[in-house]
Amino acid sequence: MGIIQLCSLCVKMFENVENCKLDPMLSWSTLARAISEKLVLLCALLSQLSLSRACPKECSCNSNNKVVDCRGRGLYDIPRRLHPDTQELYLQDNRIRGLGSMAFREIPLVRILDLSNNSITTVSPTALLGLRTLQHLSLAYNSLRELDKRLLGPIRSLSHLDLSHNSLWGLPGAIGDSLRNLTHLGIAHNRLTRLDRSLLEALGRLDSLTLRGNPWRCDCQLIGLKLWLETYLFKGGVVDEVLCYQPEEMKDRDLQKVPYQLFHACMSTSYHYLFANIHHLESERLLRGHTHGNHAHPSSHALHVPMAMGEGFGGGGGGGSMPECETKQRHRPVNLRHAIATVIITGVVCGIVCLMMLAAAVYGCAYAAIMAKYQRELKKNEELAAAQGTDHGTADEKEPLENAIA
């Protein structure tokens, strides 16, 4: 619009020049008319160039809300000549196969980028470089097998990430450092068999999470996810279901409903993750106590559970009493209490068994020593008895012989 207004101003200026009668010999009217025609033609060309720059011919654009809609246009690549002020770009339902380096460098202010339902198999680690204001990214319904940890590195404002319906085998653990402001993560219907707990713990603002449709392997490696899910749900997070796919005896069982007793083979792993979880909750309790001391808002999401948990482990009452103005603490999840009780009982039973085995070993050694000594004494007595019997027999034989001679 600025170019068109400038051209109109120039045309009016030359029309005013045409009305001037300074020197008839110069034929101002003819000259002004010719220049006006040329300017109109030039303005038309410039406005067409500006419009083509602002909106690719394959897309429809709305200059008011700065939205570019390229859905279902059969595109094989990202359209070019996009307006730099574009804030929303919709590219779903096309045939895009890959994203090259700095594929969106023309639109650094984009906030919403939807690339769902394409055929994307490869994404350059620098494909999103420069998109510092990106908030919503959808790569759902594609054919991604892996995600480079550098892809989302420069983006700190991302709040919605949808990677569902791909072929991802895993997520890089370092990606969590770039997603600290994320509120929704969709990774449903991929090929995930496990998920690193440290990655999830880095997502401190996560409100909703979709995990269904993955071939989860419910073994010792997944107990960390189970513990994190219980803490996450306790805080008010929203998650769908995690159905076990392996091993066969746990197939189609919801991980959240699998009792901890079935993880008895992972006792060392259970101890590690359980006490790591308790430490995490205790840290949050201390943080909550600090914020209460600074008159924090009562709607804080900090947990109340760890105090009772400390008492359950013999922490007792000293130093753990809550202020009178403290809101009533919520009950811990049942599975977590069962896990704590199971670990304690198992430890006590194992200690008793070890003591019994030690006592049995001591008793066996003492019994063997006593029996060996008894056998030696018995053999010695038998030898002495045999020797004494031989001496008596010789004396008895000599006595009749002496009587006969007499």
Side-chain angles (χ1 to χ4, degrees):
M1 292 298 295
I3 296 176
I4 297 176
Q5 291 174 352
L6 179 62
C7 293
S8 301
L9 182 62
C10 293
V11 171
K12 288 181 180 179
M13 182 184 69
F14 277 99
E15 286 177 352
N16 292 334
V17 172
E18 181 181 358
N19 294 329
C20 294
K21 302 298 182 181
L22 297 176
D23 190 356
M25 298 299 294
L26 294 177
S27 183
W28 279 104
S29 60
T30 305
L31 181 60
R33 189 178 298 110
I35 294 177
S36 298
E37 292 175 356
K38 298 295 183 182
L39 280 174
V40 170
L41 180 61
L42 179 61
C43 289
L45 291 174
L46 288 175
S47 39
Q48 289 296 325
L49 179 61
S50 176
L51 289 174
S52 64
R53 169 71 178 175
C55 188
K57 62 181 180 180
E58 305 93 347
C59 308
S60 60
C61 304
N62 188 327
S63 58
N64 293 328
N65 50 19
K66 301 176 183 179
V67 175
V68 179
D69 190 350
C70 307
R71 290 178 287 187
R73 305 301 175 92
L75 300 177
Y76 287 92
D77 201 356
I78 307 300
R80 297 302 177 190
R81 294 185 293 187
L82 293 166
H83 197 281
D85 293 336
T86 301
Q87 293 189 2
E88 299 181 19
L89 177 59
Y90 298 96
L91 289 165
Q92 58 265 46
D93 305 322
N94 283 290
R95 301 175 183 176
I96 301 172
R97 296 182 178 274
L99 300 178
S101 178
M102 298 186 68
F104 304 97
R105 58 183 175 273
E106 294 182 347
I107 49 173
L109 301 179
V110 67
R111 295 184 297 104
I112 299 178
L113 181 58
D114 195 332
L115 291 157
S116 59
N117 199 21
N118 278 277
S119 303
I120 300 174
T121 56
T122 58
V123 178
S124 171
T126 57
L128 304 178
L129 193 64
L131 306 184
R132 297 185 179 275
T133 60
L134 187 63
Q135 299 177 5
H136 182 116
L137 174 62
S138 177
L139 289 167
Y141 291 94
N142 281 285
S143 302
L144 295 173
R145 292 181 175 271
E146 59 181 358
L147 208 63
D148 195 283
K149 63 181 180 181
R150 297 169 292 175
L151 179 64
L152 302 174
I155 306 174
R156 302 293 178 177
S157 56
L158 195 65
S159 61
H160 183 105
L161 177 61
D162 192 355
L163 299 171
S164 57
H165 293 274
N166 278 280
S167 301
L168 294 172
W169 291 92
L171 295 177
I175 202 173
D177 297 333
S178 306
L179 303 177
R180 296 190 180 276
N181 293 318
L182 201 68
T183 57
H184 171 79
L185 175 61
I187 49 177
H189 298 283
N190 279 279
R191 298 183 181 179
L192 302 172
T193 58
R194 63 191 59 175
L195 195 58
D196 191 1
R197 182 182 179 182
S198 61
L199 185 152
L200 296 171
E201 288 180 341
L203 310 180
R205 299 187 179 181
L206 195 65
D207 293 331
S208 60
L209 176 65
T210 58
L211 297 170
R212 72 171 65 209
N214 285 286
W216 300 107
R217 182 175 181 83
C218 297
D219 56 6
C220 302
Q221 300 295 328
L222 211 63
I223 192 172
L225 175 61
K226 178 176 174 63
L227 287 167
W228 180 87
L229 284 174
E230 291 184 355
T231 305
Y232 176 69
L233 291 172
F234 183 81
K235 291 180 177 180
V238 178
V239 66
D240 53 4
E241 56 187 4
V242 180
L243 295 182
C244 300
Y245 185 78
Q246 293 178 332
E248 190 65 28
E249 59 269 17
M250 289 191 184
K251 190 171 183 179
D252 296 330
R253 296 189 64 177
D254 192 344
L255 178 64
Q256 301 175 47
K257 299 178 181 178
V258 174
Y260 280 94
Q261 286 81 352
L262 296 182
F263 290 97
H264 64 277
C266 315
M267 189 54 62
S268 60
T269 307
S270 301
Y271 271 111
H272 172 73
Y273 281 115
L274 177 61
F275 288 107
N277 190 59
I278 293 173
H279 176 72
H280 175 69
L281 295 176
E282 181 66 17
S283 300
E284 291 196 359
R285 182 187 70 82
L286 295 175
L287 179 61
R288 176 177 172 79
H290 177 71
T291 54
H292 270 284
N294 294 329
H295 306 286
H297 195 277
S299 62
S300 173
H301 295 288
L303 295 178
H304 311 290
V305 175
M307 288 186 177
M309 188 174 293
E311 295 172 4
F313 276 91
S321 61
M322 301 176 65
E324 294 181 358
C325 61
E326 185 80 7
T327 56
K328 185 177 180 180
Q329 56 182 345
R330 297 167 61 184
H331 294 291
R332 292 170 295 178
V334 176
N335 288 340
L336 187 58
R337 296 201 303 271
H338 285 180
I340 296 171
T342 303
V343 170
I344 295 175
I345 294 173
T346 305
V348 172
V349 171
C350 289
I352 294 173
V353 171
C354 291
L355 290 175
M356 292 177 64
M357 292 177 64
L358 180 62
V362 172
Y363 175 78
C365 292
Y367 179 78
I370 293 172
M371 289 301 296
K373 184 177 180 181
Y374 174 75
Q375 291 293 333
R376 287 196 300 271
E377 292 293 335
L378 182 62
K379 186 175 181 181
K380 185 177 179 180
N381 292 335
E382 289 178 350
E383 290 177 353
L384 290 174
Q388 291 177 0
T390 303
D391 293 341
H392 285 295
T394 306
D396 293 340
E397 288 176 358
K398 290 181 178 180
E399 185 175 355
L401 180 63
E402 291 175 354
N403 293 333
I405 293 174

